[in-house]
Amino acid sequence: MGLKIADRSAVDAFRVMDVMRAAQSAEQAGRAVYHLEVGQPGTPAPLAAREAVKQALDSHTLGYTMALGMDELRAGISELYRKWYGVDVPAARITVTQGASGGFALAFLTAFDAGDRVALATPGYPCYRNILSALDLEAVEIMTGPDTHYQPTVAALEALEGPVNGLILASPSNPTGSMLSPEDFGAISDWCQHRGVRLISDEIYHGLTYGTPETTAAAINDDAFVINSFSKYFSMTGWRVGWMVVPEDMIRSLERLQGNMTICSPAVSQIAALGALNATEELEALKAGYRRNRTVLRDALTAGGISEISAPDGAFYLYAKVDHLTDDAVELCRRILDETGIAITPGADFDTQRGHHFMRLSYCTDEASVQTAARLLAPWLKSQPRLR
Ligand SMILES: Cc1ncc(COP(=O)(O)O)c(C=O)c1O
Protein backbone atom coordinates (compact mmCIF):
# COMPACT_ATOMS: atom_id res chain seq x y z
CA MET A 1 0.00 0.00 0.00
CA GLY A 2 1.34 3.44 -0.92
CA LEU A 3 1.97 5.97 1.83
CA LYS A 4 -0.48 8.81 2.24
CA ILE A 5 -0.42 11.80 -0.08
CA ALA A 6 -1.60 14.89 1.79
CA ASP A 7 -5.12 16.05 0.95
CA ARG A 8 -3.82 19.64 0.92
CA SER A 9 -1.75 18.82 -2.17
CA ALA A 10 -4.84 17.90 -4.21
CA VAL A 11 -5.16 21.37 -5.74
CA ASP A 12 -6.25 22.06 -9.31
CA ALA A 13 -3.50 22.41 -11.89
CA PHE A 14 -2.71 25.90 -13.16
CA ARG A 15 -4.06 25.05 -16.61
CA VAL A 16 -2.05 27.73 -18.37
CA MET A 17 0.97 25.55 -17.66
CA ASP A 18 -0.75 22.58 -19.34
CA VAL A 19 -1.52 24.68 -22.44
CA MET A 20 2.12 25.86 -22.43
CA ARG A 21 3.24 22.22 -22.46
CA ALA A 22 0.91 21.35 -25.37
CA ALA A 23 2.17 24.42 -27.27
CA GLN A 24 5.77 23.41 -26.63
CA SER A 25 5.10 19.86 -27.91
CA ALA A 26 3.59 21.30 -31.09
CA GLU A 27 6.67 23.50 -31.52
CA GLN A 28 9.01 20.58 -30.93
CA ALA A 29 7.13 18.71 -33.65
CA GLY A 30 8.13 21.53 -36.02
CA ARG A 31 4.87 23.52 -36.08
CA ALA A 32 4.63 27.31 -35.94
CA VAL A 33 2.94 28.27 -32.65
CA TYR A 34 1.57 31.71 -31.74
CA HIS A 35 1.72 32.17 -28.00
CA LEU A 36 -1.45 33.83 -26.79
CA GLU A 37 -1.77 31.44 -23.85
CA VAL A 38 0.51 32.92 -21.27
CA GLY A 39 1.02 36.33 -19.67
CA GLN A 40 4.63 36.42 -20.63
CA PRO A 41 6.11 39.32 -22.60
CA GLY A 42 7.83 38.12 -25.76
CA THR A 43 10.90 40.20 -24.86
CA PRO A 44 13.89 39.61 -22.57
CA ALA A 45 14.64 41.62 -19.44
CA PRO A 46 15.40 45.27 -20.24
CA LEU A 47 18.93 46.08 -21.39
CA ALA A 48 19.84 47.86 -18.14
CA ALA A 49 18.93 44.71 -16.20
CA ARG A 50 21.04 42.48 -18.42
CA GLU A 51 24.00 44.90 -18.27
CA ALA A 52 23.80 44.97 -14.47
CA VAL A 53 23.91 41.16 -14.39
CA LYS A 54 26.88 40.99 -16.79
CA GLN A 55 28.87 43.24 -14.48
CA ALA A 56 27.80 41.41 -11.35
CA LEU A 57 28.91 38.02 -12.67
CA ASP A 58 32.55 39.12 -12.46
CA SER A 59 32.38 41.36 -9.41
CA HIS A 60 29.83 39.92 -6.99
CA THR A 61 29.74 36.70 -4.99
CA LEU A 62 26.01 36.35 -5.67
CA GLY A 63 25.62 34.70 -2.29
CA TYR A 64 22.59 34.81 -0.04
CA THR A 65 21.11 38.25 0.51
CA MET A 66 19.17 39.38 3.58
CA ALA A 67 15.85 37.51 3.83
CA LEU A 68 13.91 40.68 3.03
CA GLY A 69 16.13 41.42 0.03
CA MET A 70 19.06 43.65 -0.91
CA ASP A 71 18.90 47.06 0.76
CA GLU A 72 19.58 48.88 -2.54
CA LEU A 73 16.67 47.11 -4.25
CA ARG A 74 14.29 47.76 -1.35
CA ALA A 75 15.29 51.44 -1.46
CA GLY A 76 14.82 51.47 -5.25
CA ILE A 77 11.30 50.03 -4.92
CA SER A 78 10.49 52.60 -2.23
CA GLU A 79 11.58 55.27 -4.72
CA LEU A 80 9.31 53.69 -7.36
CA TYR A 81 6.30 54.34 -5.10
CA ARG A 82 7.23 58.02 -4.99
CA LYS A 83 7.66 58.09 -8.77
CA TRP A 84 4.53 56.11 -9.72
CA TYR A 85 2.05 57.23 -7.08
CA GLY A 86 3.66 60.08 -5.12
CA VAL A 87 3.45 58.06 -1.89
CA ASP A 88 6.05 57.49 0.75
CA VAL A 89 6.49 53.77 1.43
CA PRO A 90 9.52 53.22 3.67
CA ALA A 91 12.02 50.64 2.39
CA ALA A 92 11.71 48.96 5.81
CA ARG A 93 8.17 47.86 4.86
CA ILE A 94 9.27 46.34 1.55
CA THR A 95 10.36 42.75 1.08
CA VAL A 96 11.70 41.22 -2.11
CA THR A 97 9.97 37.94 -3.01
CA GLN A 98 10.31 35.12 -5.53
CA GLY A 99 7.86 36.70 -7.93
CA ALA A 100 4.35 37.69 -6.89
CA SER A 101 3.79 33.93 -6.54
CA GLY A 102 6.34 33.77 -3.72
CA GLY A 103 4.57 36.70 -2.07
CA PHE A 104 1.13 35.05 -1.94
CA ALA A 105 2.12 32.13 0.28
CA LEU A 106 4.09 34.43 2.59
CA ALA A 107 1.27 36.96 2.86
CA PHE A 108 -1.36 34.27 3.46
CA LEU A 109 0.79 32.55 6.10
CA THR A 110 1.47 35.84 7.87
CA ALA A 111 -2.11 37.08 7.77
CA PHE A 112 -4.33 34.02 8.18
CA ASP A 113 -4.71 30.89 10.31
CA ALA A 114 -5.96 27.52 9.05
CA GLY A 115 -9.70 27.67 8.44
CA ASP A 116 -9.80 31.44 7.82
CA ARG A 117 -11.96 32.61 4.93
CA VAL A 118 -10.64 34.81 2.14
CA ALA A 119 -12.92 36.42 -0.44
CA LEU A 120 -11.90 36.88 -4.06
CA ALA A 121 -13.48 37.71 -7.41
CA THR A 122 -14.36 35.02 -9.91
CA PRO A 123 -13.22 34.94 -12.70
CA GLY A 124 -9.79 35.49 -11.22
CA TYR A 125 -6.22 34.30 -11.13
CA PRO A 126 -6.52 30.59 -10.28
CA CYS A 127 -3.44 30.31 -8.10
CA TYR A 128 -5.02 32.48 -5.36
CA ARG A 129 -7.67 29.85 -4.81
CA ASN A 130 -5.25 26.92 -5.19
CA ILE A 131 -2.62 28.34 -2.81
CA LEU A 132 -5.32 29.19 -0.25
CA SER A 133 -6.60 25.64 -0.47
CA ALA A 134 -3.11 24.13 -0.01
CA LEU A 135 -2.76 26.25 3.15
CA ASP A 136 -6.10 25.04 4.57
CA LEU A 137 -7.74 28.41 3.96
CA GLU A 138 -11.17 28.76 2.43
CA ALA A 139 -11.56 30.73 -0.80
CA VAL A 140 -14.93 32.51 -0.79
CA GLU A 141 -15.85 33.30 -4.37
CA ILE A 142 -17.62 36.51 -5.40
CA MET A 143 -19.17 35.83 -8.79
CA THR A 144 -18.62 38.88 -10.98
CA GLY A 145 -19.60 39.79 -14.53
CA PRO A 146 -19.67 42.68 -16.98
CA ASP A 147 -22.32 44.48 -14.82
CA THR A 148 -19.68 45.23 -12.15
CA HIS A 149 -16.80 45.32 -14.59
CA TYR A 150 -15.74 41.87 -13.30
CA GLN A 151 -14.76 43.41 -9.94
CA PRO A 152 -16.17 42.95 -6.44
CA THR A 153 -18.37 45.68 -4.95
CA VAL A 154 -19.15 46.70 -1.38
CA ALA A 155 -22.70 45.41 -1.95
CA ALA A 156 -21.35 42.00 -2.97
CA LEU A 157 -19.12 41.92 0.10
CA GLU A 158 -22.07 42.82 2.32
CA ALA A 159 -24.06 40.00 0.75
CA LEU A 160 -21.48 37.30 1.52
CA GLU A 161 -22.69 34.50 3.76
CA GLY A 162 -20.68 34.60 6.97
CA PRO A 163 -17.72 36.79 7.88
CA VAL A 164 -14.46 36.75 5.94
CA ASN A 165 -10.96 37.36 7.27
CA GLY A 166 -9.42 38.60 4.06
CA LEU A 167 -10.11 39.94 0.58
CA ILE A 168 -7.91 39.64 -2.49
CA LEU A 169 -8.26 42.43 -5.05
CA ALA A 170 -6.59 42.52 -8.45
CA SER A 171 -6.97 45.76 -10.38
CA PRO A 172 -6.16 45.34 -13.25
CA SER A 173 -7.34 41.76 -13.02
CA ASN A 174 -6.36 38.58 -14.78
CA PRO A 175 -8.18 37.32 -16.93
CA THR A 176 -10.32 40.35 -17.78
CA GLY A 177 -7.90 43.29 -17.40
CA SER A 178 -10.71 45.21 -15.69
CA MET A 179 -9.95 47.83 -13.05
CA LEU A 180 -11.68 49.42 -10.08
CA SER A 181 -12.07 53.19 -10.22
CA PRO A 182 -10.14 55.00 -7.46
CA GLU A 183 -13.50 55.68 -5.72
CA ASP A 184 -14.62 52.04 -5.81
CA PHE A 185 -11.18 50.83 -4.73
CA GLY A 186 -11.29 53.30 -1.84
CA ALA A 187 -14.80 52.21 -0.79
CA ILE A 188 -13.77 48.55 -0.72
CA SER A 189 -10.58 49.34 1.19
CA ASP A 190 -12.62 51.34 3.76
CA TRP A 191 -15.07 48.45 4.07
CA CYS A 192 -12.13 46.12 4.83
CA GLN A 193 -10.74 48.47 7.46
CA HIS A 194 -14.10 48.92 9.20
CA ARG A 195 -14.77 45.17 9.22
CA GLY A 196 -11.28 44.09 10.29
CA VAL A 197 -10.76 42.33 6.96
CA ARG A 198 -7.18 42.04 5.73
CA LEU A 199 -6.84 43.43 2.20
CA ILE A 200 -4.37 41.72 -0.13
CA SER A 201 -3.93 43.85 -3.24
CA ASP A 202 -2.30 42.15 -6.22
CA GLU A 203 -0.87 45.06 -8.22
CA ILE A 204 1.21 43.00 -10.63
CA TYR A 205 -0.31 44.75 -13.69
CA HIS A 206 0.37 48.27 -12.50
CA GLY A 207 2.32 50.17 -15.13
CA LEU A 208 0.33 48.32 -17.81
CA THR A 209 -2.83 50.42 -17.91
CA TYR A 210 -4.39 52.22 -20.83
CA GLY A 211 -6.02 55.28 -19.31
CA THR A 212 -7.72 54.32 -16.04
CA PRO A 213 -5.71 55.61 -13.04
CA GLU A 214 -4.17 52.94 -10.80
CA THR A 215 -4.76 52.91 -7.07
CA THR A 216 -2.16 51.35 -4.83
CA ALA A 217 -3.49 50.04 -1.54
CA ALA A 218 -0.18 51.25 -0.06
CA ALA A 219 -1.50 54.83 -0.32
CA ILE A 220 -4.79 54.23 1.49
CA ASN A 221 -4.64 51.18 3.74
CA ASP A 222 -1.71 50.64 6.14
CA ASP A 223 -3.03 47.19 7.05
CA ALA A 224 -2.99 45.94 3.46
CA PHE A 225 -0.45 43.66 1.84
CA VAL A 226 0.53 44.93 -1.60
CA ILE A 227 1.91 42.31 -3.95
CA ASN A 228 3.84 43.21 -7.09
CA SER A 229 6.46 41.74 -9.38
CA PHE A 230 9.10 42.35 -12.00
CA SER A 231 7.45 39.71 -14.23
CA LYS A 232 4.96 41.77 -16.24
CA TYR A 233 5.66 45.51 -16.73
CA PHE A 234 9.40 44.85 -16.36
CA SER A 235 9.33 41.84 -18.75
CA MET A 236 11.20 39.50 -16.38
CA THR A 237 8.99 36.43 -15.84
CA GLY A 238 11.71 33.79 -15.54
CA TRP A 239 13.88 35.77 -13.15
CA ARG A 240 11.40 35.04 -10.37
CA VAL A 241 11.63 38.31 -8.55
CA GLY A 242 8.86 40.46 -7.10
CA TRP A 243 8.11 42.41 -3.96
CA MET A 244 5.56 43.09 -1.25
CA VAL A 245 4.64 46.08 0.85
CA VAL A 246 3.96 44.63 4.28
CA PRO A 247 2.04 46.20 7.21
CA GLU A 248 4.60 47.59 9.62
CA ASP A 249 3.65 45.33 12.52
CA MET A 250 3.98 42.20 10.35
CA ILE A 251 7.36 42.70 8.71
CA ARG A 252 9.26 40.76 11.39
CA SER A 253 6.84 37.79 11.15
CA LEU A 254 7.26 37.87 7.42
CA GLU A 255 11.04 38.02 7.68
CA ARG A 256 11.06 34.97 9.95
CA LEU A 257 8.87 32.98 7.57
CA GLN A 258 10.84 34.06 4.52
CA GLY A 259 14.19 33.22 6.11
CA ASN A 260 12.94 29.75 7.00
CA MET A 261 11.15 28.97 3.76
CA THR A 262 13.42 30.33 1.03
CA ILE A 263 16.29 32.15 2.80
CA CYS A 264 16.04 34.89 0.17
CA SER A 265 15.22 35.61 -3.47
CA PRO A 266 18.00 34.87 -6.02
CA ALA A 267 20.78 37.48 -5.75
CA VAL A 268 21.30 37.61 -9.51
CA SER A 269 17.64 38.40 -10.08
CA GLN A 270 17.68 41.13 -7.46
CA ILE A 271 20.61 42.77 -9.23
CA ALA A 272 18.76 42.53 -12.54
CA ALA A 273 15.65 44.03 -10.92
CA LEU A 274 17.64 46.98 -9.61
CA GLY A 275 18.83 47.65 -13.17
CA ALA A 276 15.29 47.32 -14.55
CA LEU A 277 14.00 50.10 -12.30
CA ASN A 278 15.76 52.59 -14.59
CA ALA A 279 14.54 51.17 -17.90
CA THR A 280 11.42 53.33 -18.20
CA GLU A 281 11.90 54.34 -21.83
CA GLU A 282 12.36 50.76 -23.04
CA LEU A 283 9.42 49.51 -20.97
CA GLU A 284 7.06 52.24 -22.11
CA ALA A 285 7.86 51.28 -25.73
CA LEU A 286 6.85 47.68 -24.94
CA LYS A 287 3.58 48.91 -23.48
CA ALA A 288 2.83 50.86 -26.66
CA GLY A 289 3.22 47.58 -28.57
CA TYR A 290 0.79 45.81 -26.23
CA ARG A 291 -1.73 48.56 -26.84
CA ARG A 292 -1.47 48.00 -30.62
CA ASN A 293 -1.74 44.23 -30.14
CA ARG A 294 -4.88 44.72 -28.10
CA THR A 295 -6.61 46.49 -30.99
CA VAL A 296 -5.50 43.90 -33.56
CA LEU A 297 -6.70 40.98 -31.47
CA ARG A 298 -9.97 42.58 -30.41
CA ASP A 299 -10.78 43.33 -34.04
CA ALA A 300 -10.01 39.72 -34.99
CA LEU A 301 -12.33 38.36 -32.29
CA THR A 302 -15.10 40.70 -33.37
CA ALA A 303 -14.59 39.73 -37.03
CA GLY A 304 -14.71 36.09 -35.91
CA GLY A 305 -18.22 36.62 -34.53
CA ILE A 306 -17.43 37.05 -30.83
CA SER A 307 -19.52 39.81 -29.33
CA GLU A 308 -18.79 39.68 -25.59
CA ILE A 309 -15.16 40.59 -24.97
CA SER A 310 -13.89 42.16 -21.74
CA ALA A 311 -12.94 45.82 -22.12
CA PRO A 312 -9.52 45.73 -20.54
CA ASP A 313 -8.38 48.86 -18.76
CA GLY A 314 -5.05 47.23 -18.10
CA ALA A 315 -2.85 44.10 -18.14
CA PHE A 316 -2.56 42.28 -21.46
CA TYR A 317 -5.52 39.92 -21.75
CA LEU A 318 -8.87 39.66 -23.50
CA TYR A 319 -11.54 37.44 -21.96
CA ALA A 320 -13.94 36.38 -24.66
CA LYS A 321 -17.29 34.60 -24.39
CA VAL A 322 -17.54 31.64 -26.76
CA ASP A 323 -20.81 30.05 -25.62
CA HIS A 324 -22.15 30.23 -29.19
CA LEU A 325 -19.35 27.81 -30.15
CA THR A 326 -19.03 25.41 -27.24
CA ASP A 327 -19.84 24.30 -23.71
CA ASP A 328 -16.27 23.06 -23.38
CA ALA A 329 -13.64 25.77 -23.85
CA VAL A 330 -10.85 23.29 -23.03
CA GLU A 331 -11.77 21.28 -26.14
CA LEU A 332 -12.22 24.46 -28.19
CA CYS A 333 -8.75 25.72 -27.25
CA ARG A 334 -7.26 22.29 -27.98
CA ARG A 335 -8.78 22.39 -31.49
CA ILE A 336 -7.64 25.96 -32.11
CA LEU A 337 -4.06 24.95 -31.23
CA ASP A 338 -4.29 21.81 -33.41
CA GLU A 339 -5.82 23.49 -36.42
CA THR A 340 -4.26 26.97 -36.39
CA GLY A 341 -1.18 26.79 -34.14
CA ILE A 342 -2.63 29.49 -31.85
CA ALA A 343 -2.24 28.67 -28.16
CA ILE A 344 -5.07 30.10 -26.03
CA THR A 345 -6.08 29.39 -22.41
CA PRO A 346 -9.60 28.11 -21.65
CA GLY A 347 -11.64 30.16 -19.19
CA ALA A 348 -12.12 27.22 -16.84
CA ASP A 349 -8.77 28.11 -15.29
CA PHE A 350 -10.23 31.37 -14.00
CA ASP A 351 -13.82 30.35 -13.30
CA THR A 352 -14.41 26.65 -12.73
CA GLN A 353 -18.16 26.96 -13.43
CA ARG A 354 -18.82 29.60 -16.08
CA GLY A 355 -15.32 29.45 -17.57
CA HIS A 356 -16.28 26.64 -19.95
CA HIS A 357 -17.90 29.36 -22.04
CA PHE A 358 -14.84 31.64 -22.14
CA MET A 359 -11.29 31.77 -23.37
CA ARG A 360 -8.47 34.13 -22.42
CA LEU A 361 -6.09 35.54 -24.99
CA SER A 362 -2.85 37.19 -23.94
CA TYR A 363 -1.53 39.94 -26.22
CA CYS A 364 1.95 40.62 -24.83
CA THR A 365 3.88 38.49 -27.27
CA ASP A 366 5.65 40.12 -30.25
CA GLU A 367 3.53 42.14 -32.67
CA ALA A 368 4.28 39.96 -35.72
CA SER A 369 2.98 36.85 -33.91
CA VAL A 370 -0.17 38.65 -32.78
CA GLN A 371 -0.82 39.90 -36.30
CA THR A 372 -0.41 36.44 -37.84
CA ALA A 373 -2.54 34.87 -35.08
CA ALA A 374 -5.26 37.47 -35.67
CA ARG A 375 -5.24 36.74 -39.41
CA LEU A 376 -5.65 33.01 -38.79
CA LEU A 377 -8.10 33.22 -35.91
CA ALA A 378 -10.88 35.39 -37.35
CA PRO A 379 -11.76 33.12 -40.33
CA TRP A 380 -11.33 29.97 -38.22
CA LEU A 381 -13.79 31.21 -35.61
CA LYS A 382 -16.20 32.41 -38.25
CA SER A 383 -16.25 29.03 -40.00
CA GLN A 384 -16.97 26.97 -36.90
CA PRO A 385 -20.21 25.14 -36.31
CA ARG A 386 -21.17 24.81 -32.66
CA LEU A 387 -19.06 22.06 -31.06
CA ARG A 388 -21.62 20.84 -28.56
C1 LIG B 1 -2.78 38.34 -11.33
C2 LIG B 1 -1.46 37.64 -11.25
N1 LIG B 1 -0.82 37.62 -10.09
C3 LIG B 1 0.36 36.98 -9.97
C4 LIG B 1 0.95 36.33 -11.04
C5 LIG B 1 2.26 35.61 -10.82
O1 LIG B 1 3.33 36.37 -11.22
P1 LIG B 1 4.85 36.12 -10.86
O2 LIG B 1 5.51 35.75 -12.15
O3 LIG B 1 5.36 37.41 -10.35
O4 LIG B 1 4.94 35.05 -9.85
C6 LIG B 1 0.32 36.35 -12.27
C7 LIG B 1 0.91 35.65 -13.44
O5 LIG B 1 0.35 35.53 -14.49
C8 LIG B 1 -0.92 37.03 -12.38
O6 LIG B 1 -1.60 37.08 -13.53
Side-chain angles (χ1 to χ4, degrees):
M1 201 181 82
L3 291 181
K4 145 180 164 152
I5 299 175
D7 288 344
R8 65 164 79 231
S9 70
V11 297
D12 285 342
F14 184 19
R15 283 173 213 246
V16 171
M17 309 305 289
D18 295 344
V19 182
M20 275 172 78
R21 192 175 332 100
Q24 193 189 49
S25 302
E27 249 166 356
Q28 283 165 348
R31 297 199 52 201
V33 172
Y34 309 98
H35 289 279
L36 309 188
E37 82 279 29
V38 60
Q40 162 148 283
T43 44
L47 184 61
R50 285 178 280 140
E51 290 297 334
V53 169
K54 277 187 205 157
Q55 278 195 9
L57 287 178
D58 289 329
S59 63
H60 202 289
T61 62
L62 299 175
Y64 293 136
T65 71
M66 294 297 105
L68 294 175
M70 287 178 175
D71 287 345
E72 306 89 301
L73 180 55
R74 295 169 73 204
I77 295 167
S78 169
E79 186 51 41
L80 190 71
Y81 277 83
R82 261 185 295 278
K83 186 167 122 192
W84 276 8
Y85 314 99
V87 302
D88 188 24
V89 177
R93 283 187 56 204
I94 293 168
T95 180
V96 180
T97 56
Q98 297 192 3
S101 307
F104 296 134
L106 289 169
F108 298 163
L109 283 168
T110 315
F112 306 121
D113 284 314
D116 279 358
R117 305 176 78 231
V118 182
L120 39 76
T122 299
Y125 183 60
C127 306
Y128 304 143
R129 151 169 57 75
N130 298 338
I131 297 171
L132 288 170
S133 152
L135 296 177
D136 282 333
L137 299 163
E138 187 187 340
V140 178
E141 290 184 299
I142 303 172
M143 291 298 173
T144 66
D147 54 326
T148 64
H149 214 40
Y150 290 101
Q151 289 286 350
T153 57
V154 170
L157 289 163
E158 287 286 343
L160 287 175
E161 262 178 51
V164 292
N165 306 89
L167 169 69
I168 301 174
L169 283 185
S171 171
S173 97
N174 176 6
T176 62
S178 78
M179 290 177 75
L180 285 160
S181 70
E183 297 73 30
D184 291 343
F185 197 112
I188 291 177
S189 168
D190 288 350
W191 183 88
C192 287
Q193 290 197 292
H194 290 139
R195 302 293 165 119
V197 170
R198 178 77 64 190
L199 176 61
I200 312 253
S201 179
D202 182 352
E203 301 181 359
I204 189 168
Y205 294 107
H206 280 206
L208 293 172
T209 57
Y210 310 98
T212 307
E214 297 137 328
T215 310
T216 177
I220 57 174
N221 185 334
D222 287 343
D223 297 318
F225 278 82
V226 173
I227 295 185
N228 210 321
S229 173
F230 286 89
S231 288
K232 309 295 180 174
Y233 175 73
F234 294 94
S235 183
M236 292 175 58
T237 50
W239 296 81
R240 310 311 303 129
V241 59
W243 74 88
M244 261 194 311
V245 179
V246 180
E248 200 176 348
D249 59 345
M250 299 174 91
I251 192 84
R252 179 63 187 144
S253 310
L254 194 124
E255 184 179 24
R256 283 197 305 264
L257 275 169
Q258 180 138 307
N260 277 288
M261 291 178 69
T262 61
I263 299 188
C264 63
S265 301
V268 70
S269 301
Q270 295 191 53
I271 288 168
L274 189 55
L277 287 173
N278 297 318
T280 310
E281 207 177 312
E282 187 179 340
L283 297 171
E284 287 300 311
L286 295 183
K287 180 168 138 185
Y290 304 151
R291 190 195 278 267
R292 289 190 289 272
N293 283 347
R294 182 175 68 146
T295 307
V296 169
L297 209 51
R298 240 187 113 81
D299 290 351
L301 290 173
T302 309
I306 295 182
S307 53
E308 193 175 317
I309 308 165
S310 62
D313 310 309
F316 32 51
Y317 307 110
L318 295 171
Y319 197 56
K321 194 165 190 184
V322 286
D323 62 338
H324 62 295
L325 293 178
T326 187
D327 291 325
D328 181 358
V330 175
E331 175 59 14
L332 182 72
C333 291
R334 195 194 57 70
R335 280 197 47 214
I336 295 176
L337 178 60
D338 258 16
E339 295 174 25
T340 68
I342 304 168
I344 298 177
T345 297
D349 219 11
F350 312 96
D351 182 339
T352 51
Q353 296 162 40
R354 300 168 303 175
H356 295 290
H357 287 149
F358 289 85
M359 55 187 197
R360 187 202 70 175
L361 301 92
S362 165
Y363 54 82
C364 58
T365 192
D366 63 283
E367 291 188 69
S369 293
V370 170
Q371 282 160 13
T372 310
R375 251 195 324 274
L376 296 171
L377 189 59
W380 190 92
L381 288 170
K382 193 100 191 147
S383 68
Q384 288 312 298
R386 197 167 198 286
L387 271 181
R388 102 171 81 102

